[in-house]
Amino acid sequence: ADGLEAAFARFLFDNPNLLCPTATRSWRERPLLGREGETRYVPDIVFQEVGGRFLFIEVEQPSDQMETRSGRPGHKSTDGAYQLSQWEELISENPLGQKHYPGVHGKICRFLLVCGRGSPSRESRGTFAHQVVTFDEVVDVAECMYRNLSSGGASIPSKNGGS
């Protein structure tokens, strides 16, 4: 990852509650290995959640466009989504060889792309096989967490408007 992208990845790693509030373990830039033990890919962030599930995260720069003006996925978001698919395939082909992620074999893995700003169209978001969030959505999560924590434990309204 380049300088700015690495800084954002570091921030998200240092603040796991923004992407994975149930994280129990975390790793940065540890390789996924091929069958011969060679480094094949290097995820930006990996969290292990309560229950053992893994969340593999690719971080792109906020300035990278999530979608084009025509509403189609942008270059960086499709590259990031492709990386997630490659990681998923490699883990399924060689789960026992992932020594950097103890216990990944036999566990459910999730994959997340953090990319761009704004609110992408439903059409654009629907083209990805894995979860995608924008940096603006991460900021929204942070603001909501702050409000909830600073309210002194006040109840959060339910969907039907009651508390």
Side-chain angles (χ1 to χ4, degrees):
D2 66 15
L4 186 58
E5 186 177 309
F8 280 104
R10 169 51 82 187
F11 176 80
L12 293 171
F13 177 80
D14 289 343
N15 295 279
N17 289 335
L18 296 174
L19 298 177
C20 187
T22 63
T24 58
R25 294 175 78 185
S26 56
W27 300 269
R28 261 185 52 80
E29 298 182 350
R30 291 212 181 154
L32 289 168
L33 305 175
R35 290 202 180 275
E36 305 300 318
E38 76 281 10
T39 296
R40 295 278 304 275
Y41 305 104
V42 181
D44 291 327
I45 303 168
V46 179
F47 294 122
Q48 187 173 15
E49 302 174 85
V50 169
R53 186 167 58 175
F54 286 79
L55 175 62
F56 290 82
I57 302 169
E58 171 64 14
V59 178
E60 300 293 348
Q61 291 190 45
S63 60
D64 293 333
Q65 295 301 311
M66 174 81 175
E67 61 187 10
T68 64
R69 286 189 180 108
S70 66
R72 292 189 127 78
H75 172 70
K76 282 294 198 173
S77 60
T78 55
D79 283 353
Y82 179 74
Q83 287 181 53
L84 299 179
S85 296
Q86 294 295 325
W87 300 350
E88 182 177 32
E89 185 177 316
L90 182 62
I91 291 167
S92 69
E93 289 175 357
N94 189 26
L96 295 173
Q98 302 310 325
K99 67 181 181 183
H100 297 292
Y101 305 104
V104 75
H105 62 278
K107 298 290 184 186
I108 296 171
C109 296
R110 297 187 309 129
F111 301 87
L112 173 67
L113 173 63
V114 182
C115 181
R117 304 274 321 267
S119 182
S121 67
R122 180 176 288 160
E123 175 186 316
S124 176
R125 196 181 292 269
T127 61
F128 298 107
H130 302 290
Q131 185 181 4
V132 178
V133 297
T134 66
F135 282 90
D136 289 339
E137 291 168 325
V138 173
V139 169
D140 290 346
V141 167
E143 289 174 345
C144 182
M145 289 175 72
Y146 176 77
R147 277 193 311 275
N148 290 343
L149 291 171
S150 63
S151 68
S155 63
I156 299 169
S158 66
K159 288 186 178 185
N160 63 7
S163 53

PDB file of all heavy atoms in Angstrom, residues 2 4 12 26 33 42 44 51 64 71 91 98 108 114 120 133 146 162:
ATOM      1  N   ASP A   2       0.468   2.269  -0.760  1.00  0.00           N
ATOM      2  CA  ASP A   2       1.260   3.499  -0.786  1.00  0.00           C
ATOM      3  C   ASP A   2       1.013   4.309   0.485  1.00  0.00           C
ATOM      4  O   ASP A   2       0.240   3.922   1.351  1.00  0.00           O
ATOM      5  CB  ASP A   2       0.974   4.302  -2.051  1.00  0.00           C
ATOM      6  CG  ASP A   2      -0.444   4.835  -2.127  1.00  0.00           C
ATOM      7  OD1 ASP A   2      -1.131   4.841  -1.097  1.00  0.00           O
ATOM      8  OD2 ASP A   2      -0.857   5.243  -3.218  1.00  0.00           O
ATOM      9  N   LEU A   4      -0.561   7.216   1.604  1.00  0.00           N
ATOM     10  CA  LEU A   4      -1.876   7.627   2.088  1.00  0.00           C
ATOM     11  C   LEU A   4      -2.761   6.419   2.368  1.00  0.00           C
ATOM     12  O   LEU A   4      -3.427   6.342   3.399  1.00  0.00           O
ATOM     13  CB  LEU A   4      -2.536   8.561   1.067  1.00  0.00           C
ATOM     14  CG  LEU A   4      -3.849   9.196   1.493  1.00  0.00           C
ATOM     15  CD1 LEU A   4      -3.668  10.007   2.775  1.00  0.00           C
ATOM     16  CD2 LEU A   4      -4.371  10.090   0.377  1.00  0.00           C
ATOM     17  N   LEU A  12      -7.609   2.314  10.452  1.00  0.00           N
ATOM     18  CA  LEU A  12      -8.682   1.327  10.582  1.00  0.00           C
ATOM     19  C   LEU A  12      -8.238   0.138  11.419  1.00  0.00           C
ATOM     20  O   LEU A  12      -9.016  -0.411  12.199  1.00  0.00           O
ATOM     21  CB  LEU A  12      -9.165   0.888   9.196  1.00  0.00           C
ATOM     22  CG  LEU A  12      -9.862   1.991   8.394  1.00  0.00           C
ATOM     23  CD1 LEU A  12     -10.098   1.538   6.964  1.00  0.00           C
ATOM     24  CD2 LEU A  12     -11.167   2.415   9.057  1.00  0.00           C
ATOM     25  N   SER A  26      -6.060  -9.438  15.638  1.00  0.00           N
ATOM     26  CA  SER A  26      -5.903  -8.654  14.414  1.00  0.00           C
ATOM     27  C   SER A  26      -4.492  -8.820  13.865  1.00  0.00           C
ATOM     28  O   SER A  26      -3.542  -9.070  14.607  1.00  0.00           O
ATOM     29  CB  SER A  26      -6.201  -7.180  14.691  1.00  0.00           C
ATOM     30  OG  SER A  26      -5.386  -6.690  15.728  1.00  0.00           O
ATOM     31  N   LEU A  33      -0.598 -17.615   1.777  1.00  0.00           N
ATOM     32  CA  LEU A  33       0.401 -18.469   1.139  1.00  0.00           C
ATOM     33  C   LEU A  33      -0.210 -19.443   0.147  1.00  0.00           C
ATOM     34  O   LEU A  33      -1.307 -19.964   0.355  1.00  0.00           O
ATOM     35  CB  LEU A  33       1.168 -19.243   2.216  1.00  0.00           C
ATOM     36  CG  LEU A  33       1.831 -18.383   3.307  1.00  0.00           C
ATOM     37  CD1 LEU A  33       2.453 -19.277   4.363  1.00  0.00           C
ATOM     38  CD2 LEU A  33       2.846 -17.442   2.708  1.00  0.00           C
ATOM     39  N   VAL A  42      -1.233 -10.219   0.026  1.00  0.00           N
ATOM     40  CA  VAL A  42      -1.023  -9.642   1.353  1.00  0.00           C
ATOM     41  C   VAL A  42      -2.225  -8.752   1.683  1.00  0.00           C
ATOM     42  O   VAL A  42      -2.306  -7.614   1.214  1.00  0.00           O
ATOM     43  CB  VAL A  42       0.291  -8.837   1.428  1.00  0.00           C
ATOM     44  CG1 VAL A  42       0.482  -8.271   2.832  1.00  0.00           C
ATOM     45  CG2 VAL A  42       1.481  -9.692   1.024  1.00  0.00           C
ATOM     46  N   ASP A  44      -4.536  -6.109   3.614  1.00  0.00           N
ATOM     47  CA  ASP A  44      -4.196  -4.938   4.415  1.00  0.00           C
ATOM     48  C   ASP A  44      -4.453  -5.200   5.898  1.00  0.00           C
ATOM     49  O   ASP A  44      -3.627  -4.874   6.746  1.00  0.00           O
ATOM     50  CB  ASP A  44      -5.007  -3.713   3.972  1.00  0.00           C
ATOM     51  CG  ASP A  44      -4.584  -3.223   2.597  1.00  0.00           C
ATOM     52  OD1 ASP A  44      -3.391  -3.331   2.254  1.00  0.00           O
ATOM     53  OD2 ASP A  44      -5.452  -2.737   1.850  1.00  0.00           O
ATOM     54  N   GLY A  51     -16.110 -16.126  18.132  1.00  0.00           N
ATOM     55  CA  GLY A  51     -16.599 -17.305  17.420  1.00  0.00           C
ATOM     56  C   GLY A  51     -15.624 -17.817  16.383  1.00  0.00           C
ATOM     57  O   GLY A  51     -15.853 -18.851  15.769  1.00  0.00           O
ATOM     58  N   ASP A  64      -9.944   7.388  -4.326  1.00  0.00           N
ATOM     59  CA  ASP A  64     -10.249   6.475  -5.437  1.00  0.00           C
ATOM     60  C   ASP A  64     -11.764   6.389  -5.604  1.00  0.00           C
ATOM     61  O   ASP A  64     -12.494   6.159  -4.640  1.00  0.00           O
ATOM     62  CB  ASP A  64      -9.683   5.076  -5.178  1.00  0.00           C
ATOM     63  CG  ASP A  64      -8.166   5.059  -5.173  1.00  0.00           C
ATOM     64  OD1 ASP A  64      -7.562   5.919  -5.836  1.00  0.00           O
ATOM     65  OD2 ASP A  64      -7.593   4.190  -4.505  1.00  0.00           O
ATOM     66  N   GLY A  71     -22.166   5.531 -13.204  1.00  0.00           N
ATOM     67  CA  GLY A  71     -22.716   4.643 -12.184  1.00  0.00           C
ATOM     68  C   GLY A  71     -22.120   3.246 -12.159  1.00  0.00           C
ATOM     69  O   GLY A  71     -22.527   2.409 -11.365  1.00  0.00           O
ATOM     70  N   ILE A  91      -7.629 -19.168   0.031  1.00  0.00           N
ATOM     71  CA  ILE A  91      -7.909 -19.730   1.363  1.00  0.00           C
ATOM     72  C   ILE A  91      -8.679 -21.040   1.231  1.00  0.00           C
ATOM     73  O   ILE A  91      -8.392 -22.003   1.943  1.00  0.00           O
ATOM     74  CB  ILE A  91      -8.670 -18.718   2.230  1.00  0.00           C
ATOM     75  CG1 ILE A  91      -7.749 -17.547   2.577  1.00  0.00           C
ATOM     76  CG2 ILE A  91      -9.200 -19.374   3.504  1.00  0.00           C
ATOM     77  CD1 ILE A  91      -8.468 -16.348   3.160  1.00  0.00           C
ATOM     78  N   GLN A  98      -2.176 -21.662   5.758  1.00  0.00           N
ATOM     79  CA  GLN A  98      -2.200 -20.234   6.134  1.00  0.00           C
ATOM     80  C   GLN A  98      -1.661 -20.051   7.555  1.00  0.00           C
ATOM     81  O   GLN A  98      -2.384 -19.710   8.485  1.00  0.00           O
ATOM     82  CB  GLN A  98      -3.613 -19.676   5.974  1.00  0.00           C
ATOM     83  CG  GLN A  98      -4.186 -19.812   4.584  1.00  0.00           C
ATOM     84  CD  GLN A  98      -3.255 -19.318   3.483  1.00  0.00           C
ATOM     85  OE1 GLN A  98      -2.520 -18.360   3.639  1.00  0.00           O
ATOM     86  NE2 GLN A  98      -3.273 -19.998   2.356  1.00  0.00           N
ATOM     87  N   ILE A 108     -15.484 -19.807   8.768  1.00  0.00           N
ATOM     88  CA  ILE A 108     -16.121 -18.950   7.774  1.00  0.00           C
ATOM     89  C   ILE A 108     -15.290 -17.675   7.664  1.00  0.00           C
ATOM     90  O   ILE A 108     -14.907 -17.086   8.664  1.00  0.00           O
ATOM     91  CB  ILE A 108     -17.555 -18.601   8.193  1.00  0.00           C
ATOM     92  CG1 ILE A 108     -18.405 -19.868   8.232  1.00  0.00           C
ATOM     93  CG2 ILE A 108     -18.158 -17.559   7.260  1.00  0.00           C
ATOM     94  CD1 ILE A 108     -19.770 -19.660   8.825  1.00  0.00           C
ATOM     95  N   VAL A 114     -12.905  -1.480   1.525  1.00  0.00           N
ATOM     96  CA  VAL A 114     -13.149  -0.104   1.952  1.00  0.00           C
ATOM     97  C   VAL A 114     -12.581   0.779   0.851  1.00  0.00           C
ATOM     98  O   VAL A 114     -11.380   0.754   0.582  1.00  0.00           O
ATOM     99  CB  VAL A 114     -12.467   0.210   3.304  1.00  0.00           C
ATOM    100  CG1 VAL A 114     -12.777   1.637   3.727  1.00  0.00           C
ATOM    101  CG2 VAL A 114     -12.888  -0.788   4.371  1.00  0.00           C
ATOM    102  N   PRO A 120     -22.485   5.015  -3.030  1.00  0.00           N
ATOM    103  CA  PRO A 120     -22.603   4.404  -4.355  1.00  0.00           C
ATOM    104  C   PRO A 120     -24.027   3.936  -4.643  1.00  0.00           C
ATOM    105  O   PRO A 120     -24.800   3.666  -3.723  1.00  0.00           O
ATOM    106  CB  PRO A 120     -21.639   3.211  -4.289  1.00  0.00           C
ATOM    107  CG  PRO A 120     -21.453   2.939  -2.847  1.00  0.00           C
ATOM    108  CD  PRO A 120     -21.678   4.220  -2.122  1.00  0.00           C
ATOM    109  N   VAL A 133     -17.768  -0.964   1.647  1.00  0.00           N
ATOM    110  CA  VAL A 133     -18.168   0.240   2.372  1.00  0.00           C
ATOM    111  C   VAL A 133     -17.280   1.385   1.917  1.00  0.00           C
ATOM    112  O   VAL A 133     -16.129   1.176   1.522  1.00  0.00           O
ATOM    113  CB  VAL A 133     -18.080   0.088   3.911  1.00  0.00           C
ATOM    114  CG1 VAL A 133     -19.028  -0.963   4.423  1.00  0.00           C
ATOM    115  CG2 VAL A 133     -16.678  -0.177   4.373  1.00  0.00           C
ATOM    116  N   TYR A 146     -20.046   7.273  18.652  1.00  0.00           N
ATOM    117  CA  TYR A 146     -19.768   8.347  19.595  1.00  0.00           C
ATOM    118  C   TYR A 146     -21.064   8.826  20.258  1.00  0.00           C
ATOM    119  O   TYR A 146     -21.131   8.984  21.471  1.00  0.00           O
ATOM    120  CB  TYR A 146     -19.058   9.509  18.893  1.00  0.00           C
ATOM    121  CG  TYR A 146     -18.848  10.682  19.819  1.00  0.00           C
ATOM    122  CD1 TYR A 146     -17.832  10.655  20.765  1.00  0.00           C
ATOM    123  CD2 TYR A 146     -19.685  11.782  19.758  1.00  0.00           C
ATOM    124  CE1 TYR A 146     -17.647  11.718  21.640  1.00  0.00           C
ATOM    125  CE2 TYR A 146     -19.508  12.852  20.629  1.00  0.00           C
ATOM    126  CZ  TYR A 146     -18.489  12.808  21.563  1.00  0.00           C
ATOM    127  OH  TYR A 146     -18.322  13.855  22.422  1.00  0.00           O
ATOM    128  N   GLY A 162     -40.519   3.211  18.800  1.00  0.00           N
ATOM    129  CA  GLY A 162     -40.514   3.150  20.269  1.00  0.00           C
ATOM    130  C   GLY A 162     -39.102   3.016  20.791  1.00  0.00           C
ATOM    131  O   GLY A 162     -38.150   2.921  20.056  1.00  0.00           O
TER     132      GLY A 162
END
